[in-house]
């Protein structure tokens, strides 16, 4: 079934869409992503015939990247000059949060050193799994820890924002943009940026090529002024459903006891990461012209695609969130490599 849509993924996608629709009807924030993620996560625990599909994420990442690029414009460069305190704060946040999370996983959970280290680092799932395996860590545990972290961050972030900042997250949703508002010319520019960006991303071997490549292409289109296409809300909803479904299905095929153990373990590490993010967000709000909700989202230890979609859905400063998370991933990879080189040199 590799050439077509897998029945187990079709089942998961149907459940995800139904979950998103229910969450939308009851007025939940980030309803399409949270609904899809929650329902498919529960389906995985209940051992229903649902599975993720690796071929679904690249094209959806390209769609998301193109959407993100449309949020950048000439004003971004002017704003970015004011963001340097956030990037310095981000480095400090990663150092403090990863250290505390590592101590928790080593001393409380009793994971072995490499597994704990790469599970604690709030970086990209694939990067951390590959680097952890190279150093003798448990690949499956690292993958499940990061999958659980993303799941828990996306699930807890909207209510956390409301609790900490008092913001009405449900009322911050972006205005609905009908599909009919997108002219034929805009559709062609959208598809062209998507295809060209994905191709460039792969050829240039960019990190997350299907997301960053189309994002750069879409930025170029908007900066040049040849098109100012705005992605319709229905497309964003589909992106949320697919992404939420793939996150929820990461627990498929794993025993219920193992899932609950990983979720409980990850909840502790995620609580540490989010608590430190809240502290840094409150401190940085005084030196940044960005709402505290945007600062918190930029520091939240979720995935780049997931956090970017949250920013889009909540009508926050998308470019700031995207730049922060790209820098986070780069800092984590570089920091992990430097730390390991230092450790290896001391052990010789």
């Amino acid at each position: 079934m590799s050439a077509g849509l897998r029945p187990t993924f079709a089942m998961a996608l149907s459940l995800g869409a139904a979950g998103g629709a229910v969450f939308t009807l009851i007025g939940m924030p980030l309803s399409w992503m949270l609904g899809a993620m929650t329902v498919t996560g529960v389906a995985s625990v209940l051992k229903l015939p649902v599975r993720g599909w690796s071929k679904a994420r690249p094209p959806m990442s390209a769609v998301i990247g193109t959407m993100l690029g449309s949020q950048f414009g000439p004003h971004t460069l002017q704003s970015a000059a004011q963001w340097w305190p956030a990037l310095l704060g981000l480095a400090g946040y990663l150092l403090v949060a990863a250290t505390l999370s590592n101590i928790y996983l080593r001393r409380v959970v009793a994971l072995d050193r490499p597994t704990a280290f790469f599970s604690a680092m709030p970086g990209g799932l694939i990067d951390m799994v590959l680097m952890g395996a190279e150093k003798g860590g448990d690949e499956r545990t690292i993958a499940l820890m990061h999958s659980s972290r993303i799941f828990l961050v996306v699930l807890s972030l909207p209510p956390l924002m409301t609790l900490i900042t008092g913001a009405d997250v449900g009322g911050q949703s972006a205005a609905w943009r009908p599909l009919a508002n997108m002219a034929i010319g805009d559709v062609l520019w959208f598809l062209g940026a998507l295809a060209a960006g994905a191709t460039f991303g792969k050829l240039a071997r960019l990190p997350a090529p299907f997301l960053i490549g189309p994002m750069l292409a879409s930025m170029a289109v908007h900066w040049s002024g040849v098109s100012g296409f705005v992605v319709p809300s229905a497309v964003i909803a589909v992106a949320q459903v697919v992404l939420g479904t793939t996150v929820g299905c990461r627990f498929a095929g794993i025993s219920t006891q193992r899932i609950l153990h990983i979720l409980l373990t990850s909840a502790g590490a995620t609580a540490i990461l989010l608590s430190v993010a809240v502290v840094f967000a409150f401190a940085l709000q005084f030196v940044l012209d960005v709402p505290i909700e945007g600062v918190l989202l930029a520091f939240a230890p979720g995935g780049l695609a997931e956090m970017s979609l949250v920013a889009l859905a909540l009508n926050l400063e998308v470019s700031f969130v995207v730049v922060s998370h790209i820098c986070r991933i780069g800092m984590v990879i570089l920091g992990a490599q430097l730390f390991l080189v230092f450790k290896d040199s001391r052990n010789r």
Side-chain angles (χ1 to χ4, degrees), residues 250-268:
R250 282 178 178 161
F251 302 104
I254 304 169
S255 70
T256 303
Q257 184 177 2
R258 174 75 161 155
I259 292 173
L260 294 177
H261 174 72
I262 287 291
L263 283 174
L264 184 61
T265 300
S266 183

Side-chain angles (χ1 to χ4, degrees), residues 291-313:
I292 187 172
E293 297 89 352
V295 182
L296 179 56
L297 186 55
F299 277 56
L304 169 60
E306 287 83 2
M307 296 299 95
S308 301
L309 276 177
V310 173
L312 276 169

Side-chain angles (χ1 to χ4, degrees), residues 64 74 116 131 157 161 164 178 182 192 196 210-211 225 246 261 263 313-314 319 322:
I64 294 168
M131 294 174 69
L157 205 52
M161 283 184 173
I164 298 298
M182 201 176 193
F210 290 103
L211 186 129
T246 58
H261 174 72
L263 283 174
L314 300 183
S319 54
V322 171

Side-chain angles (χ1 to χ4, degrees), residues 11-17 19 33-46 50 151 241 243-252:
M11 171 76 166
L13 208 55
S14 299
L15 289 174
M33 180 187 290
L34 285 179
M37 189 181 72
T38 302
V39 171
T40 53
V42 171
S44 297
V45 172
L46 296 177
V50 295
F151 183 94
V241 168
L243 199 60
T245 298
T246 58
V247 171
C249 285
R250 282 178 178 161
F251 302 104

